[in-house]
Amino acid sequence: MRSRRGETQHNIAVLAAVMLAVLGVIVLRYGWLQLVQGGALAERMESQVGHDFSIQSPRGTILDRNGRELAVSTMTKSLYIDPAHVKDPEAVAADLAPLIDTPEQEILDDIAVGGGFVWVKRRMEQSEYEAVRRLIKEKSYADCMNFRDEAKRYYPNDMLAANVLGFVGTDDKGLDGVEQAMDSLLKGEVRESHLQTDRQDRPILDSIFSSRRRYRGDYCKTVELTLDSAVQFIVEQELDRAVAENSPKGITCVVMNPKNGEILAMASRPSYNPNRFWEYQSEVWKNRAVSFIYEPGSTFKSVVAGAALQEKVVTPNQVFVDPGYVMVSGRRIQNWSGTSFGTVTFTDVVKQSLNTGFAQVGLRLGAEKLTEYAKKFGFGEATGIDLPAEESGILFKPEDMRDSDIATMSIGQSIAVTPLQLVTAMSAIANDGVLLKPHIVKSIRNADGSVYEERGTTEVRRTIDSATDKTLIGLLEQVVSSGGGQKAAVKGYRIAGKTGTAQKIREDGSGYMDGRYIASFCGFAPVEDPQVTVLVMIDDPSTGNYYGGQIAAPVAERIFSQLFRYLKIEPSSDPFAGMEPPKTAQPKPARAYEGAVPDGKIVVPDFSGKSLREAARMAADKGLSFDSEGSGYASGQSIPPNTLVDNGAQVVVYFKPD
């Protein structure tokens, strides 16, 4: 009995020892697997039953004021390699090259870079992604290559508003325009995640419900601009036509709502396609409306006229004697025609844009007041619009100005402005003398559609009194109805504005370029209830005609005409209906030229009584650049007969029915 009991106890002891030994082996094995090989096994398990990946929320959308998409993002896969974990570079390159249409040597070069991360191909097509994903599983390449989600930016309208929108680089970083200015709000977020799958690569466990949800992110806002795609299209279409007609170095147009400071259109030529921005020179990316400074020429006279009326140094009917030119501090300042207009009123000075009259007015104002009003209208400082790289322009310090500087500033020289500053100043005149801050971002919305920020009207300051402003508007309206801006007129509508022609400054600032000009027109309509302000600036036209009233005003007229129809603006009541049109101040007759005609000079003929065809032929025979106003027979001309002028000079002949 005792032997059996002992045997049983012995067997139990042996069994216990075996079990303890087995348990010890299990514990040791478990410890080995968990502590020593745990990381490697976990990686192998994850590669076999799931995917490690980064989820990126798409970049926010940019919309126009009517909700039309201007910039959108789609999500794509990008492939990277971890060179430190590539065991056989040649095999990896050979397997991968045909799937992503990339030379093997290029892949080998990427691997040779070393380190832990190298991009191989970014933003792959879906078919490429699927093929590489299968390769990774079949060849167990998960430890040396994988994917990251990346957003691909797409501009559905190609070149439309390209200089405003800008573009996005390869790392979802805005590099110009609105994309750069709003980058911190538009940019998507990245979150690391893991998707668990079964043998058939189907999601399992909580992956079904959570990991595949689209990650919207807390940022990636939607930005709504004040731009109207239809207005932008109208403007860009007309700019393309103007480029074909005038072959300029550049051309810029801005359309603004003068009542709230919203930019309805902003366009430049040359331009580019932001979907392929790398194919263009960087100079073409520039938004000339905010980054280009130039001497405004006679368009700046609207500000000078407003300052003079406000300070009561002049009245609309005040009489000026125009000698044709004036000498100020040894500098000769003459009219655009080079001739005298005789005795004229200040209204005529504005209508005919007489440099002599404005030089006298500027000297009466003085350097302090002239600069003060320039600053009041927003010149000399950035407007603060929601766009990058805005220039501030250039103003003299009053204490440094000589009389000649005052006189030249009064005619739009010795000052540098941006197109946006000029259209903002003209909008202040249209807005009863109140300057508003221009803006191009209307609202910003969160990913869930809620409002993050609304950007409305911001009043900066009053520039001139309301009564003064109404008088100034009356003068500017006559510029378009019967003065130098007649080619901007649209039948049935009251338009106020000012033309400008300025010589281009040499890049080194040493003087002006011969025969190089900037032509412009800036105006608003309808006068009784201004809805739009339009600026057209043509840089360095090369077809021979360079006057703002001749080449910029017609572009503005075509834009105004289409805007009136699109915005459903009713025709104006004509305040001059039934009245004789105001007489245009004519140059004082000059004495007949006597003596030999020097080389390169021409004696202007008398066009009186000639038909349009006869006058045009006479001008061509003489070598003059000819333009006409009206129809019938010649009744006047911009340059008096028998005046000695340069070969190719511009003469405007006025016609009336017989």
Side-chain angles (χ1 to χ4, degrees):
M1 179 68 72
R2 288 182 179 177
S3 61
R4 285 186 178 180
R5 182 179 298 174
E7 183 178 354
T8 301
Q9 290 177 346
H10 174 74
N11 291 338
I12 291 172
V14 171
L15 179 60
V18 171
M19 292 178 66
L20 285 173
V22 171
L23 181 61
V25 171
I26 292 174
V27 169
L28 290 173
R29 180 61 176 168
Y30 181 79
W32 175 263
L33 294 176
Q34 286 291 336
L35 301 178
V36 180
Q37 292 187 319
L41 291 174
E43 288 182 7
R44 184 187 302 177
M45 183 274 293
E46 288 184 354
S47 68
Q48 292 174 346
V49 299
H51 305 286
D52 275 323
F53 59 95
S54 298
I55 304 176
Q56 178 171 345
S57 60
R59 188 176 180 85
T61 302
I62 301 177
L63 308 172
D64 83 340
R65 66 185 304 111
N66 298 310
R68 301 186 184 100
E69 292 180 339
L70 299 175
V72 295
S73 286
T74 57
M75 300 308 298
T76 60
K77 296 289 185 180
S78 293
L79 176 66
Y80 70 89
I81 277 183
D82 177 0
H85 287 81
V86 176
K87 298 180 177 61
D88 188 347
E90 286 75 16
V92 170
D95 290 338
L96 193 57
L99 302 182
I100 61 174
D101 192 26
T102 302
E104 289 185 32
Q105 187 57 50
E106 188 173 321
I107 297 173
L108 289 171
D109 291 341
D110 290 335
I111 296 173
V113 170
F117 183 95
V118 177
W119 286 118
V120 178
K121 186 162 187 180
R122 308 186 76 167
R123 299 184 176 91
M124 297 189 299
E125 298 296 330
Q126 184 64 24
S127 59
E128 294 177 328
Y129 162 66
E130 295 291 349
V132 175
R133 189 165 68 90
R134 286 193 297 270
L135 174 68
I136 291 174
K137 294 190 75 70
E138 291 171 1
K139 296 294 184 74
S140 299
Y141 285 154
D143 56 342
C144 68
M145 71 174 73
N146 214 325
F147 305 98
R148 284 191 180 273
D149 286 332
E150 285 198 295
K152 181 178 181 180
R153 203 58 161 171
Y154 178 60
Y155 301 90
N157 302 298
D158 292 332
M159 294 181 68
L160 190 74
N163 299 95
V164 174
L165 297 174
F167 51 87
V168 175
T170 54
D171 295 313
D172 196 35
K173 182 176 177 61
L175 298 179
D176 207 348
V178 174
E179 296 280 24
Q180 179 180 343
M182 299 286 111
D183 188 59
S184 61
L185 297 174
L186 288 167
K187 191 177 181 65
E189 294 177 272
V190 178
R191 185 181 72 177
E192 300 297 327
S193 187
H194 179 75
L195 179 66
Q196 292 182 328
T197 59
D198 62 13
R199 287 180 176 273
Q200 280 71 46
D201 209 26
R202 295 174 299 195
I204 60 175
L205 304 178
D206 64 337
S207 299
I208 301 174
F209 305 104
S210 62
S211 296
R212 283 208 167 181
R213 289 175 185 166
R214 187 180 182 189
Y215 180 50
R216 296 294 302 175
D218 297 324
Y219 297 99
C220 53
K221 314 291 187 189
T222 294
V223 174
E224 179 187 1
L225 303 183
T226 61
L227 294 183
D228 186 316
S229 293
V231 176
Q232 185 76 23
F233 178 77
I234 289 170
V235 166
E236 295 199 18
Q237 192 176 44
E238 290 304 329
L239 292 196
D240 289 335
R241 177 177 173 180
V243 168
E245 291 174 345
N246 301 287
S247 301
K249 181 178 179 181
I251 183 168
T252 301
C253 178
V254 182
V255 179
M256 182 176 178
N257 184 332
K259 293 184 175 180
N260 56 24
E262 292 182 349
I263 302 298
L264 302 179
M266 180 182 284
S268 298
R269 290 294 184 270
S271 187
Y272 67 100
N273 186 338
N275 291 307
R276 303 189 305 275
F277 66 89
W278 57 87
E279 297 179 2
Y280 300 80
Q281 294 182 350
S282 59
E283 183 67 20
V284 177
W285 302 341
K286 179 189 292 187
N287 184 351
R288 297 169 65 90
V290 298
S291 302
F292 178 76
I293 60 173
Y294 67 105
E295 288 192 349
S298 296
T299 50
F300 184 71
K301 291 175 181 175
S302 349
V303 172
V304 179
L309 291 169
Q310 180 66 37
E311 293 297 318
K312 297 181 171 52
V313 301
V314 71
T315 62
N317 295 320
Q318 186 168 337
V319 174
F320 286 75
V321 176
D322 169 35
Y325 71 92
V326 291
M327 299 297 297
V328 183
S329 300
R331 180 164 182 172
R332 180 186 175 102
I333 296 176
Q334 64 182 29
N335 295 325
W336 57 270
S337 64
T339 58
S340 165
F341 280 70
T343 302
V344 293
T345 65
F346 183 63
T347 299
D348 291 321
V349 170
V350 176
K351 284 169 56 178
Q352 300 304 320
S353 197
L354 302 184
N355 289 339
T356 56
F358 273 98
Q360 294 176 56
V361 168
L363 290 169
R364 292 180 190 178
L365 277 170
E368 289 284 350
K369 285 296 181 182
L370 192 59
T371 305
E372 175 189 333
Y373 278 93
K375 290 182 176 179
K376 277 187 176 182
F377 276 92
F379 297 104
E381 63 180 4
T383 66
I385 195 172
D386 334 87
L387 290 170
E390 183 183 9
E391 292 281 354
S392 299
I394 300 173
L395 281 180
F396 266 117
K397 292 181 179 179
E399 59 270 22
D400 296 335
M401 295 176 70
R402 300 171 298 174
D403 284 350
S404 59
D405 298 323
I406 298 172
T408 54
M409 181 175 172
S410 301
I411 63 174
Q413 296 178 0
S414 303
I415 175 178
V417 307
T418 66
L420 181 62
Q421 287 176 329
L422 191 58
V423 76
T424 303
M426 186 63 77
S427 291
I429 297 172
N431 190 41
D432 197 40
V434 177
L435 182 72
L436 302 179
K437 178 183 176 180
H439 62 285
I440 203 165
V441 174
K442 188 175 178 66
S443 68
I444 303 169
R445 298 186 179 275
N446 295 311
D448 61 4
S450 60
V451 176
Y452 174 78
E453 182 183 353
E454 294 274 6
R455 298 191 180 182
T457 303
T458 302
E459 182 176 321
V460 180
R461 69 182 72 89
R462 174 168 283 282
T463 57
I464 54 178
D465 293 341
S466 178
T468 303
D469 190 69
K470 288 180 173 59
T471 301
L472 177 59
I473 289 175
L475 297 181
L476 296 178
E477 183 178 1
Q478 291 194 49
V479 171
V480 178
S481 64
S482 57
Q486 292 181 66
K487 289 195 173 182
V490 178
K491 188 175 182 180
Y493 291 88
R494 296 173 61 190
I495 300 174
K498 190 73 187 72
T499 60
T501 308
Q503 255 186 302
K504 289 193 68 173
I505 302 176
R506 298 182 190 277
E507 293 184 1
D508 60 5
S510 62
Y512 293 99
M513 303 182 194
D514 293 333
R516 309 282 290 277
Y517 297 89
I518 292 177
S520 58
F521 173 87
C522 190
F524 55 88
V527 165
E528 66 275 16
D529 182 23
Q531 301 292 313
V532 289
T533 305
V534 175
L535 167 70
V536 176
M537 188 272 289
I538 303 177
D539 177 16
D540 201 8
S542 59
T543 54
N545 197 347
Y546 53 81
Y547 287 107
Q550 301 301 318
I551 62 174
V555 179
E557 181 272 331
R558 295 195 293 264
I559 292 173
F560 273 127
S561 297
Q562 295 182 70
L563 291 183
F564 294 152
R565 289 194 295 270
Y566 173 70
L567 298 175
K568 298 180 173 58
I569 298 175
E570 296 292 331
S572 307
S573 55
D574 187 358
F576 303 111
M579 298 173 57
E580 284 292 323
K583 293 183 179 180
T584 302
Q586 293 293 323
K588 186 177 180 180
R591 291 189 308 169
Y593 180 80
E594 299 176 353
V597 179
D599 291 340
K601 297 290 185 179
I602 300 170
V603 177
V604 177
D606 186 355
F607 295 100
S608 299
K610 304 297 182 183
S611 67
L612 180 61
R613 180 176 298 177
E614 291 171 331
R617 185 168 58 248
M618 286 176 62
D621 291 343
K622 285 286 187 178
L624 291 168
S625 177
F626 175 81
D627 205 350
S628 64
E629 296 284 352
S631 60
Y633 294 90
S635 60
Q637 56 196 76
S638 61
I639 304 176
N642 302 315
T643 302
L644 191 66
V645 297
D646 292 332
N647 187 15
Q650 173 90 15
V651 61
V652 181
V653 180
Y654 307 97
F655 294 84
K656 289 184 178 179
D658 190 9

